[in-house]
Amino acid sequence: MKFTISENVIIKKPLPAAGIVCSNPQRAQRLVNRYFPSAQLHTDSWGIVIYTGSYQGHYMFVASVPMGAGGSGFAFLEMYAAEADYIVRYGSNDRYVTPDNLRDINIIDEANNLYGLMRDSGLSASQWGQSVFASSLLVDSLRHQTESLFYPVQLMICHHVEDYHAYNYPELIGERTDNVKSLINILESSTQKKSAWDMETAALFWRATQFKKHAVTVLQSLIKHRGETTPYEGEYGRIATEMEQVFGQLILDSLVAIVSVENVHS
């Protein structure tokens, strides 16, 4: 990829080397409030909001980006073009989630089923939807940081989805219910890893691959399906809030471990 900040539409100033991206703006704002009390607004336009600040003496960014491969893929391209090197996506897992695994730490090291963005990037049809992988450097740093935590840790594959509601409620699709269930079965039976799905991780990994940079996704398990309450209400909400602090610390400490070494070598 030869894109530089000069071609960017939204992100016009260079970014720090390392940062966190969320699709949930409230989660991103809570991270800023908790860990970057003197943060500065860097960018706020067309659904992309980026704050920069210092964590343990290291200049970093926290961003919220649009949902979906199109909007998030646009943001990730501009972030890497704006000199970001290490991006951790902090998202939510709601696949096979029960009250027993709300404290799991899910690290996504592989993603697949991304078609539109790969096609429009000029790849041959045989490569559309194929696996793209997280940075082993970021995965290893995260896993090292989890050694001191008393929570279950697992590596997962994330299947990209375009129709989130269809995949969560295939029985409501009508005459195409069996088609959607078949798609889900094909994806999840093709791997030995535990499956998650979202609309942004594959786009992030693909952009990192294009720029030869680093990306990984960490997913917090939440119960956010049917019902009137949000994932941050009630008893499950209390656990979600507690674990958000665990995830925030884990991600930031993992990034610090990497940028500290990079600064020594530079």
Side-chain angles (χ1 to χ4, degrees):
M1 292 283 277
K2 298 180 180 180
F3 284 92
T4 69
I5 198 168
S6 297
E7 288 77 48
N8 279 359
V9 176
I10 295 173
I11 304 175
K12 295 294 190 177
K13 297 181 292 185
L15 286 173
I20 305 174
V21 298
C22 305
S23 296
N24 183 335
Q26 286 77 32
R27 172 181 283 158
Q29 191 63 58
R30 288 192 295 269
L31 291 173
V32 169
N33 294 344
R34 182 175 294 128
Y35 298 107
F36 299 89
S38 300
Q40 299 294 312
L41 182 64
H42 180 283
T43 302
D44 183 5
S45 189
W46 281 296
I48 300 173
V49 181
I50 304 173
Y51 285 91
T52 56
S54 179
Y55 177 78
Q56 294 187 4
H58 297 278
Y59 190 44
M60 295 187 183
F61 67 90
V62 177
S64 61
V65 301
M67 291 190 297
S72 66
F74 180 105
F76 300 144
L77 183 149
E78 294 212 350
M79 287 177 178
Y80 285 125
E83 304 177 16
D85 290 319
Y86 308 96
I87 297 179
V88 178
R89 167 170 149 71
Y90 176 14
S92 301
N93 172 50
D94 53 16
R95 184 68 175 152
Y96 305 121
V97 174
T98 71
D100 294 331
N101 55 21
L102 291 178
R103 291 184 171 85
D104 288 1
I105 295 174
N106 309 299
I107 302 172
I108 304 299
D109 68 344
E110 180 182 357
N112 63 8
N113 204 42
L114 180 68
Y115 283 84
L117 197 60
M118 285 184 157
R119 179 200 64 205
D120 292 350
S121 297
L123 277 184
S124 62
S126 63
Q127 296 173 284
W128 301 346
Q130 296 300 306
S131 286
V132 282
F133 296 92
S135 160
S136 59
L137 183 65
L138 283 170
V139 171
D140 290 347
S141 186
L142 284 165
R143 296 186 76 177
H144 177 72
Q145 293 296 326
T146 62
E147 290 176 0
S148 62
L149 302 177
F150 300 97
Y151 300 105
V153 180
Q154 58 187 342
L155 295 179
M156 301 176 71
I157 183 172
C158 184
H159 309 295
H160 178 73
V161 298
E162 290 289 336
D163 193 337
Y164 174 88
H165 290 88
Y167 272 62
N168 276 292
Y169 302 110
E171 71 278 6
L172 303 180
I173 293 299
E175 62 184 16
R176 296 182 180 85
T177 288
D178 290 343
N179 292 349
V180 176
K181 288 182 176 179
S182 177
L183 289 170
I184 294 171
N185 183 62
I186 290 169
L187 286 172
E188 297 193 339
S189 64
S190 66
T191 178
Q192 297 299 309
K193 294 179 182 176
K194 188 173 180 181
S195 294
W197 56 42
D198 70 21
M199 300 181 287
E200 298 83 28
T201 290
L204 173 61
F205 288 9
W206 172 233
R207 289 306 194 206
T209 299
Q210 288 181 295
F211 278 89
K212 295 182 173 58
K213 294 194 177 183
H214 300 270
V216 72
T217 286
V218 182
L219 299 182
Q220 177 182 350
S221 295
L222 297 176
I223 295 177
K224 59 177 184 179
H225 286 164
R226 286 188 174 98
E228 295 181 357
T229 59
T230 72
Y232 290 92
E233 295 179 293
E235 176 60 18
Y236 300 152
R238 184 189 63 77
I239 298 173
T241 301
E242 168 197 322
M243 289 304 298
E244 190 171 86
Q245 296 183 48
V246 173
F247 274 86
Q249 195 79 48
L250 166 65
I251 295 167
L252 288 168
D253 288 349
S254 298
L255 288 172
V256 164
I258 290 173
V259 296
S260 297
V261 171
E262 291 297 307
N263 289 340
V264 168
H265 290 166
S266 61

